[in-house]
Amino acid sequence: MTTLLLNGSARRATHSVVNGRPVLVDGRLPGIDTDGLRRRAQSLFEKMRAAYSERDVRGRTAAELFPPTFPESA
């Protein structure tokens, strides 16, 4: 069993129990709205990103300050 646990990847985990309590069931965290947390985090990130323009001496937009790393797919 140790080999299975030590050689696995967290991304491949589907179930986990801590102290007899399931904390990961079918790849999801019971009682946690992960989609809601993701939306909230994205909203906060977008606010933070937009605020950089307010402090930029040259008045550049967020898109100018943070260009995409990879080209956008067509």
Side-chain angles (χ1 to χ4, degrees), residues 3-46:
T3 302
L4 173 65
L5 294 174
L6 295 178
N7 291 321
S9 166
R11 291 187 183 271
R12 298 184 73 181
T14 59
H15 293 79
S16 182
V17 177
V18 175
N19 199 25
R21 187 176 130 248
V23 294
L24 183 66
V25 178
D26 291 325
R28 303 194 58 78
L29 303 169
I32 304 292
D33 178 11
T34 52
D35 290 333
L37 287 174
R38 189 175 292 115
R39 284 190 302 272
R40 177 75 175 132
Q42 185 64 40
S43 172
L44 291 171
F45 171 75
E46 288 168 6

Side-chain angles (χ1 to χ4, degrees), residues 24-74:
L24 183 66
V25 178
D26 291 325
R28 303 194 58 78
L29 303 169
I32 304 292
D33 178 11
T34 52
D35 290 333
L37 287 174
R38 189 175 292 115
R39 284 190 302 272
R40 177 75 175 132
Q42 185 64 40
S43 172
L44 291 171
F45 171 75
E46 288 168 6
K47 280 184 178 180
M48 180 186 73
R49 187 175 179 254
Y52 274 89
S53 295
E54 297 170 12
R55 296 186 303 272
D56 184 53
V57 175
R58 293 175 29 200
R60 292 172 289 182
T61 67
E64 292 171 308
L65 289 167
F66 303 102
T69 302
F70 301 102
E72 294 183 32
S73 47

